[in-house]
Amino acid sequence: QVQLVEIGGGSVQAGGSLRLSCEASGDTYSLGCMGWFRQAPGKEREGVARIYRGDPTTYYTNSVKGRFTISQDNAKNTLYLEMHLLKPEDTAMYYCAAAKAACNWSARWYSYWGQGTQVTVSS
């Protein structure tokens, strides 16, 4: 089993920045891919960014490219999401997720989820 705990989030004005962290514990050696999802009220959960463990290649949904950066520190079993130039439409609950093997933008590929952290961007 793997446990994920998100840290960070909060409220910021448009154009501001935030950093999210996700600390993983448990059987982290079994993980192949980690990612960040978000879900706004009344909307479906969407993939924001993902990264394979041990591989620097990163993937972003189009709406955050150039503004968000996903990174990982495998020694600390921690995943990060740096968010810059935040927009009101970035407002959502952000979730850290982990998959045992390959992953894509579908939430069904991920076996483990954090509890979520709220990001609110005001105009």
Side-chain angles (χ1 to χ4, degrees), residues 51-79:
I51 187 169
Y52 283 92
R53 287 172 65 84
D55 184 340
T57 306
T58 55
Y59 304 84
Y60 300 94
T61 192
N62 286 338
S63 62
V64 308
K65 284 181 180 177
R67 301 188 298 120
F68 290 13
T69 302
I70 188 172
S71 62
Q72 59 187 341
D73 184 335
N74 289 333
K76 296 182 179 180
N77 286 319
T78 301
L79 182 74

PDB file of all heavy atoms in Angstrom, residues 51-79:
ATOM      1  N   ILE A  51       4.554  12.395 -14.286  1.00  0.00           N
ATOM      2  CA  ILE A  51       5.975  12.126 -14.446  1.00  0.00           C
ATOM      3  C   ILE A  51       6.220  10.683 -14.056  1.00  0.00           C
ATOM      4  O   ILE A  51       5.590  10.152 -13.137  1.00  0.00           O
ATOM      5  CB  ILE A  51       6.799  13.094 -13.568  1.00  0.00           C
ATOM      6  CG1 ILE A  51       8.289  12.960 -13.835  1.00  0.00           C
ATOM      7  CG2 ILE A  51       6.497  12.894 -12.082  1.00  0.00           C
ATOM      8  CD1 ILE A  51       9.119  14.077 -13.177  1.00  0.00           C
ATOM      9  N   TYR A  52       7.138  10.029 -14.768  1.00  0.00           N
ATOM     10  CA  TYR A  52       7.517   8.668 -14.417  1.00  0.00           C
ATOM     11  C   TYR A  52       8.667   8.730 -13.421  1.00  0.00           C
ATOM     12  O   TYR A  52       9.587   9.531 -13.560  1.00  0.00           O
ATOM     13  CB  TYR A  52       7.930   7.881 -15.655  1.00  0.00           C
ATOM     14  CG  TYR A  52       6.749   7.425 -16.475  1.00  0.00           C
ATOM     15  CD1 TYR A  52       6.262   8.213 -17.518  1.00  0.00           C
ATOM     16  CD2 TYR A  52       6.100   6.225 -16.191  1.00  0.00           C
ATOM     17  CE1 TYR A  52       5.164   7.796 -18.265  1.00  0.00           C
ATOM     18  CE2 TYR A  52       5.010   5.807 -16.934  1.00  0.00           C
ATOM     19  CZ  TYR A  52       4.546   6.603 -17.966  1.00  0.00           C
ATOM     20  OH  TYR A  52       3.460   6.192 -18.692  1.00  0.00           O
ATOM     21  N   ARG A  53       8.609   7.853 -12.446  1.00  0.00           N
ATOM     22  CA  ARG A  53       9.677   7.818 -11.462  1.00  0.00           C
ATOM     23  C   ARG A  53      10.972   7.389 -12.140  1.00  0.00           C
ATOM     24  O   ARG A  53      11.010   6.423 -12.888  1.00  0.00           O
ATOM     25  CB  ARG A  53       9.310   6.865 -10.331  1.00  0.00           C
ATOM     26  CG  ARG A  53       8.233   7.442  -9.427  1.00  0.00           C
ATOM     27  CD  ARG A  53       7.741   6.412  -8.445  1.00  0.00           C
ATOM     28  NE  ARG A  53       8.755   5.981  -7.500  1.00  0.00           N
ATOM     29  CZ  ARG A  53       9.048   6.619  -6.379  1.00  0.00           C
ATOM     30  NH1 ARG A  53       8.435   7.739  -6.077  1.00  0.00           N
ATOM     31  NH2 ARG A  53       9.964   6.139  -5.551  1.00  0.00           N
ATOM     32  N   GLY A  54      12.036   8.106 -11.888  1.00  0.00           N
ATOM     33  CA  GLY A  54      13.322   7.794 -12.486  1.00  0.00           C
ATOM     34  C   GLY A  54      13.466   8.284 -13.905  1.00  0.00           C
ATOM     35  O   GLY A  54      14.477   8.012 -14.556  1.00  0.00           O
ATOM     36  N   ASP A  55      12.496   9.010 -14.419  1.00  0.00           N
ATOM     37  CA  ASP A  55      12.524   9.513 -15.789  1.00  0.00           C
ATOM     38  C   ASP A  55      12.191  10.998 -15.743  1.00  0.00           C
ATOM     39  O   ASP A  55      11.160  11.381 -15.217  1.00  0.00           O
ATOM     40  CB  ASP A  55      11.490   8.763 -16.630  1.00  0.00           C
ATOM     41  CG  ASP A  55      11.524   9.155 -18.096  1.00  0.00           C
ATOM     42  OD1 ASP A  55      12.041  10.236 -18.432  1.00  0.00           O
ATOM     43  OD2 ASP A  55      11.029   8.356 -18.922  1.00  0.00           O
ATOM     44  N   PRO A  56      13.054  11.839 -16.287  1.00  0.00           N
ATOM     45  CA  PRO A  56      12.803  13.282 -16.200  1.00  0.00           C
ATOM     46  C   PRO A  56      11.711  13.792 -17.135  1.00  0.00           C
ATOM     47  O   PRO A  56      11.294  14.941 -17.033  1.00  0.00           O
ATOM     48  CB  PRO A  56      14.158  13.888 -16.567  1.00  0.00           C
ATOM     49  CG  PRO A  56      14.786  12.863 -17.455  1.00  0.00           C
ATOM     50  CD  PRO A  56      14.342  11.543 -16.919  1.00  0.00           C
ATOM     51  N   THR A  57      11.215  12.934 -18.027  1.00  0.00           N
ATOM     52  CA  THR A  57      10.189  13.379 -18.977  1.00  0.00           C
ATOM     53  C   THR A  57       8.917  13.752 -18.233  1.00  0.00           C
ATOM     54  O   THR A  57       8.450  13.022 -17.368  1.00  0.00           O
ATOM     55  CB  THR A  57       9.885  12.274 -19.993  1.00  0.00           C
ATOM     56  OG1 THR A  57      11.091  11.839 -20.612  1.00  0.00           O
ATOM     57  CG2 THR A  57       8.919  12.791 -21.049  1.00  0.00           C
ATOM     58  N   THR A  58       8.365  14.891 -18.580  1.00  0.00           N
ATOM     59  CA  THR A  58       7.145  15.365 -17.934  1.00  0.00           C
ATOM     60  C   THR A  58       6.044  15.603 -18.965  1.00  0.00           C
ATOM     61  O   THR A  58       6.328  15.832 -20.146  1.00  0.00           O
ATOM     62  CB  THR A  58       7.413  16.669 -17.167  1.00  0.00           C
ATOM     63  OG1 THR A  58       7.995  17.625 -18.068  1.00  0.00           O
ATOM     64  CG2 THR A  58       8.369  16.428 -16.012  1.00  0.00           C
ATOM     65  N   TYR A  59       4.838  15.546 -18.511  1.00  0.00           N
ATOM     66  CA  TYR A  59       3.670  15.717 -19.374  1.00  0.00           C
ATOM     67  C   TYR A  59       2.721  16.700 -18.711  1.00  0.00           C
ATOM     68  O   TYR A  59       2.514  16.640 -17.492  1.00  0.00           O
ATOM     69  CB  TYR A  59       2.962  14.377 -19.590  1.00  0.00           C
ATOM     70  CG  TYR A  59       3.854  13.296 -20.145  1.00  0.00           C
ATOM     71  CD1 TYR A  59       4.661  12.518 -19.303  1.00  0.00           C
ATOM     72  CD2 TYR A  59       3.905  13.036 -21.513  1.00  0.00           C
ATOM     73  CE1 TYR A  59       5.493  11.538 -19.809  1.00  0.00           C
ATOM     74  CE2 TYR A  59       4.731  12.048 -22.021  1.00  0.00           C
ATOM     75  CZ  TYR A  59       5.522  11.300 -21.168  1.00  0.00           C
ATOM     76  OH  TYR A  59       6.347  10.327 -21.669  1.00  0.00           O
ATOM     77  N   TYR A  60       2.144  17.583 -19.516  1.00  0.00           N
ATOM     78  CA  TYR A  60       1.233  18.601 -19.004  1.00  0.00           C
ATOM     79  C   TYR A  60      -0.008  18.699 -19.869  1.00  0.00           C
ATOM     80  O   TYR A  60       0.053  18.565 -21.094  1.00  0.00           O
ATOM     81  CB  TYR A  60       1.915  19.969 -18.977  1.00  0.00           C
ATOM     82  CG  TYR A  60       3.150  20.018 -18.110  1.00  0.00           C
ATOM     83  CD1 TYR A  60       4.418  19.815 -18.659  1.00  0.00           C
ATOM     84  CD2 TYR A  60       3.055  20.245 -16.748  1.00  0.00           C
ATOM     85  CE1 TYR A  60       5.551  19.838 -17.865  1.00  0.00           C
ATOM     86  CE2 TYR A  60       4.186  20.279 -15.940  1.00  0.00           C
ATOM     87  CZ  TYR A  60       5.423  20.068 -16.508  1.00  0.00           C
ATOM     88  OH  TYR A  60       6.550  20.093 -15.717  1.00  0.00           O
ATOM     89  N   THR A  61      -1.111  18.993 -19.226  1.00  0.00           N
ATOM     90  CA  THR A  61      -2.288  19.314 -20.007  1.00  0.00           C
ATOM     91  C   THR A  61      -2.079  20.696 -20.625  1.00  0.00           C
ATOM     92  O   THR A  61      -1.349  21.540 -20.066  1.00  0.00           O
ATOM     93  CB  THR A  61      -3.554  19.271 -19.138  1.00  0.00           C
ATOM     94  OG1 THR A  61      -4.703  19.308 -19.957  1.00  0.00           O
ATOM     95  CG2 THR A  61      -3.589  20.422 -18.141  1.00  0.00           C
ATOM     96  N   ASN A  62      -2.685  20.941 -21.764  1.00  0.00           N
ATOM     97  CA  ASN A  62      -2.399  22.161 -22.525  1.00  0.00           C
ATOM     98  C   ASN A  62      -2.623  23.441 -21.726  1.00  0.00           C
ATOM     99  O   ASN A  62      -1.884  24.417 -21.865  1.00  0.00           O
ATOM    100  CB  ASN A  62      -3.241  22.194 -23.794  1.00  0.00           C
ATOM    101  CG  ASN A  62      -2.750  21.220 -24.843  1.00  0.00           C
ATOM    102  OD1 ASN A  62      -1.587  20.806 -24.831  1.00  0.00           O
ATOM    103  ND2 ASN A  62      -3.617  20.824 -25.747  1.00  0.00           N
ATOM    104  N   SER A  63      -3.623  23.445 -20.880  1.00  0.00           N
ATOM    105  CA  SER A  63      -3.986  24.684 -20.191  1.00  0.00           C
ATOM    106  C   SER A  63      -2.951  25.145 -19.169  1.00  0.00           C
ATOM    107  O   SER A  63      -2.996  26.299 -18.717  1.00  0.00           O
ATOM    108  CB  SER A  63      -5.350  24.531 -19.517  1.00  0.00           C
ATOM    109  OG  SER A  63      -5.301  23.514 -18.535  1.00  0.00           O
ATOM    110  N   VAL A  64      -2.013  24.275 -18.794  1.00  0.00           N
ATOM    111  CA  VAL A  64      -1.026  24.662 -17.784  1.00  0.00           C
ATOM    112  C   VAL A  64       0.396  24.701 -18.330  1.00  0.00           C
ATOM    113  O   VAL A  64       1.323  25.065 -17.603  1.00  0.00           O
ATOM    114  CB  VAL A  64      -1.080  23.740 -16.549  1.00  0.00           C
ATOM    115  CG1 VAL A  64      -2.490  23.644 -16.005  1.00  0.00           C
ATOM    116  CG2 VAL A  64      -0.522  22.361 -16.861  1.00  0.00           C
ATOM    117  N   LYS A  65       0.575  24.322 -19.575  1.00  0.00           N
ATOM    118  CA  LYS A  65       1.919  24.312 -20.159  1.00  0.00           C
ATOM    119  C   LYS A  65       2.544  25.700 -20.094  1.00  0.00           C
ATOM    120  O   LYS A  65       1.916  26.692 -20.409  1.00  0.00           O
ATOM    121  CB  LYS A  65       1.854  23.829 -21.612  1.00  0.00           C
ATOM    122  CG  LYS A  65       1.665  22.340 -21.763  1.00  0.00           C
ATOM    123  CD  LYS A  65       1.642  21.918 -23.225  1.00  0.00           C
ATOM    124  CE  LYS A  65       1.439  20.420 -23.372  1.00  0.00           C
ATOM    125  NZ  LYS A  65       1.342  20.008 -24.784  1.00  0.00           N
ATOM    126  N   GLY A  66       3.792  25.728 -19.665  1.00  0.00           N
ATOM    127  CA  GLY A  66       4.503  26.990 -19.542  1.00  0.00           C
ATOM    128  C   GLY A  66       4.269  27.701 -18.220  1.00  0.00           C
ATOM    129  O   GLY A  66       4.952  28.688 -17.911  1.00  0.00           O
ATOM    130  N   ARG A  67       3.308  27.225 -17.436  1.00  0.00           N
ATOM    131  CA  ARG A  67       3.004  27.857 -16.134  1.00  0.00           C
ATOM    132  C   ARG A  67       3.258  26.908 -14.963  1.00  0.00           C
ATOM    133  O   ARG A  67       3.628  27.356 -13.881  1.00  0.00           O
ATOM    134  CB  ARG A  67       1.538  28.311 -16.099  1.00  0.00           C
ATOM    135  CG  ARG A  67       1.180  29.306 -17.186  1.00  0.00           C
ATOM    136  CD  ARG A  67      -0.230  29.876 -16.972  1.00  0.00           C
ATOM    137  NE  ARG A  67      -1.264  28.855 -17.028  1.00  0.00           N
ATOM    138  CZ  ARG A  67      -2.101  28.573 -16.041  1.00  0.00           C
ATOM    139  NH1 ARG A  67      -2.013  29.230 -14.895  1.00  0.00           N
ATOM    140  NH2 ARG A  67      -3.026  27.627 -16.195  1.00  0.00           N
ATOM    141  N   PHE A  68       3.013  25.624 -15.156  1.00  0.00           N
ATOM    142  CA  PHE A  68       3.176  24.632 -14.093  1.00  0.00           C
ATOM    143  C   PHE A  68       4.406  23.763 -14.383  1.00  0.00           C
ATOM    144  O   PHE A  68       4.712  23.477 -15.542  1.00  0.00           O
ATOM    145  CB  PHE A  68       1.960  23.720 -14.002  1.00  0.00           C
ATOM    146  CG  PHE A  68       0.709  24.374 -13.479  1.00  0.00           C
ATOM    147  CD1 PHE A  68       0.603  25.748 -13.359  1.00  0.00           C
ATOM    148  CD2 PHE A  68      -0.372  23.592 -13.093  1.00  0.00           C
ATOM    149  CE1 PHE A  68      -0.554  26.337 -12.878  1.00  0.00           C
ATOM    150  CE2 PHE A  68      -1.538  24.157 -12.600  1.00  0.00           C
ATOM    151  CZ  PHE A  68      -1.635  25.540 -12.503  1.00  0.00           C
ATOM    152  N   THR A  69       5.055  23.334 -13.315  1.00  0.00           N
ATOM    153  CA  THR A  69       6.185  22.424 -13.437  1.00  0.00           C
ATOM    154  C   THR A  69       6.054  21.306 -12.421  1.00  0.00           C
ATOM    155  O   THR A  69       5.928  21.567 -11.218  1.00  0.00           O
ATOM    156  CB  THR A  69       7.515  23.157 -13.211  1.00  0.00           C
ATOM    157  OG1 THR A  69       7.650  24.220 -14.157  1.00  0.00           O
ATOM    158  CG2 THR A  69       8.692  22.198 -13.378  1.00  0.00           C
ATOM    159  N   ILE A  70       6.080  20.069 -12.910  1.00  0.00           N
ATOM    160  CA  ILE A  70       6.053  18.906 -12.030  1.00  0.00           C
ATOM    161  C   ILE A  70       7.475  18.402 -11.869  1.00  0.00           C
ATOM    162  O   ILE A  70       8.264  18.410 -12.813  1.00  0.00           O
ATOM    163  CB  ILE A  70       5.128  17.799 -12.591  1.00  0.00           C
ATOM    164  CG1 ILE A  70       4.963  16.670 -11.575  1.00  0.00           C
ATOM    165  CG2 ILE A  70       5.636  17.275 -13.929  1.00  0.00           C
ATOM    166  CD1 ILE A  70       3.911  15.629 -11.985  1.00  0.00           C
ATOM    167  N   SER A  71       7.804  18.001 -10.650  1.00  0.00           N
ATOM    168  CA  SER A  71       9.132  17.458 -10.402  1.00  0.00           C
ATOM    169  C   SER A  71       9.043  16.463  -9.258  1.00  0.00           C
ATOM    170  O   SER A  71       8.018  16.387  -8.581  1.00  0.00           O
ATOM    171  CB  SER A  71      10.133  18.573 -10.073  1.00  0.00           C
ATOM    172  OG  SER A  71       9.749  19.255  -8.900  1.00  0.00           O
ATOM    173  N   GLN A  72      10.121  15.715  -9.078  1.00  0.00           N
ATOM    174  CA  GLN A  72      10.110  14.721  -8.012  1.00  0.00           C
ATOM    175  C   GLN A  72      11.478  14.633  -7.359  1.00  0.00           C
ATOM    176  O   GLN A  72      12.495  14.889  -7.992  1.00  0.00           O
ATOM    177  CB  GLN A  72       9.701  13.354  -8.568  1.00  0.00           C
ATOM    178  CG  GLN A  72      10.620  12.824  -9.670  1.00  0.00           C
ATOM    179  CD  GLN A  72      10.082  11.559 -10.313  1.00  0.00           C
ATOM    180  OE1 GLN A  72       9.220  10.862  -9.759  1.00  0.00           O
ATOM    181  NE2 GLN A  72      10.586  11.229 -11.498  1.00  0.00           N
ATOM    182  N   ASP A  73      11.465  14.276  -6.104  1.00  0.00           N
ATOM    183  CA  ASP A  73      12.678  13.979  -5.358  1.00  0.00           C
ATOM    184  C   ASP A  73      12.505  12.566  -4.835  1.00  0.00           C
ATOM    185  O   ASP A  73      11.857  12.347  -3.814  1.00  0.00           O
ATOM    186  CB  ASP A  73      12.857  14.988  -4.217  1.00  0.00           C
ATOM    187  CG  ASP A  73      14.165  14.785  -3.477  1.00  0.00           C
ATOM    188  OD1 ASP A  73      14.709  13.657  -3.490  1.00  0.00           O
ATOM    189  OD2 ASP A  73      14.647  15.744  -2.861  1.00  0.00           O
ATOM    190  N   ASN A  74      13.052  11.598  -5.575  1.00  0.00           N
ATOM    191  CA  ASN A  74      12.833  10.202  -5.202  1.00  0.00           C
ATOM    192  C   ASN A  74      13.479   9.848  -3.872  1.00  0.00           C
ATOM    193  O   ASN A  74      12.999   8.970  -3.158  1.00  0.00           O
ATOM    194  CB  ASN A  74      13.353   9.282  -6.310  1.00  0.00           C
ATOM    195  CG  ASN A  74      12.483   9.328  -7.548  1.00  0.00           C
ATOM    196  OD1 ASN A  74      11.289   9.618  -7.457  1.00  0.00           O
ATOM    197  ND2 ASN A  74      13.067   9.070  -8.696  1.00  0.00           N
ATOM    198  N   ALA A  75      14.549  10.526  -3.520  1.00  0.00           N
ATOM    199  CA  ALA A  75      15.193  10.254  -2.236  1.00  0.00           C
ATOM    200  C   ALA A  75      14.263  10.622  -1.078  1.00  0.00           C
ATOM    201  O   ALA A  75      14.299  10.000  -0.022  1.00  0.00           O
ATOM    202  CB  ALA A  75      16.497  11.040  -2.133  1.00  0.00           C
ATOM    203  N   LYS A  76      13.435  11.630  -1.309  1.00  0.00           N
ATOM    204  CA  LYS A  76      12.489  12.065  -0.280  1.00  0.00           C
ATOM    205  C   LYS A  76      11.089  11.526  -0.532  1.00  0.00           C
ATOM    206  O   LYS A  76      10.163  11.818   0.234  1.00  0.00           O
ATOM    207  CB  LYS A  76      12.431  13.594  -0.240  1.00  0.00           C
ATOM    208  CG  LYS A  76      13.731  14.255   0.178  1.00  0.00           C
ATOM    209  CD  LYS A  76      13.567  15.772   0.237  1.00  0.00           C
ATOM    210  CE  LYS A  76      14.858  16.447   0.675  1.00  0.00           C
ATOM    211  NZ  LYS A  76      14.703  17.923   0.722  1.00  0.00           N
ATOM    212  N   ASN A  77      10.935  10.759  -1.615  1.00  0.00           N
ATOM    213  CA  ASN A  77       9.599  10.251  -1.983  1.00  0.00           C
ATOM    214  C   ASN A  77       8.578  11.380  -2.020  1.00  0.00           C
ATOM    215  O   ASN A  77       7.465  11.264  -1.506  1.00  0.00           O
ATOM    216  CB  ASN A  77       9.147   9.164  -1.003  1.00  0.00           C
ATOM    217  CG  ASN A  77       9.885   7.862  -1.212  1.00  0.00           C
ATOM    218  OD1 ASN A  77      10.118   7.439  -2.354  1.00  0.00           O
ATOM    219  ND2 ASN A  77      10.272   7.220  -0.128  1.00  0.00           N
ATOM    220  N   THR A  78       8.972  12.461  -2.643  1.00  0.00           N
ATOM    221  CA  THR A  78       8.114  13.635  -2.696  1.00  0.00           C
ATOM    222  C   THR A  78       7.931  14.109  -4.128  1.00  0.00           C
ATOM    223  O   THR A  78       8.894  14.171  -4.895  1.00  0.00           O
ATOM    224  CB  THR A  78       8.688  14.768  -1.837  1.00  0.00           C
ATOM    225  OG1 THR A  78       8.817  14.309  -0.484  1.00  0.00           O
ATOM    226  CG2 THR A  78       7.767  15.982  -1.854  1.00  0.00           C
ATOM    227  N   LEU A  79       6.703  14.430  -4.441  1.00  0.00           N
ATOM    228  CA  LEU A  79       6.327  14.968  -5.744  1.00  0.00           C
ATOM    229  C   LEU A  79       5.954  16.435  -5.552  1.00  0.00           C
ATOM    230  O   LEU A  79       5.357  16.797  -4.533  1.00  0.00           O
ATOM    231  CB  LEU A  79       5.135  14.189  -6.300  1.00  0.00           C
ATOM    232  CG  LEU A  79       4.620  14.566  -7.674  1.00  0.00           C
ATOM    233  CD1 LEU A  79       5.586  14.067  -8.753  1.00  0.00           C
ATOM    234  CD2 LEU A  79       3.234  13.958  -7.900  1.00  0.00           C
TER     235      LEU A  79
END
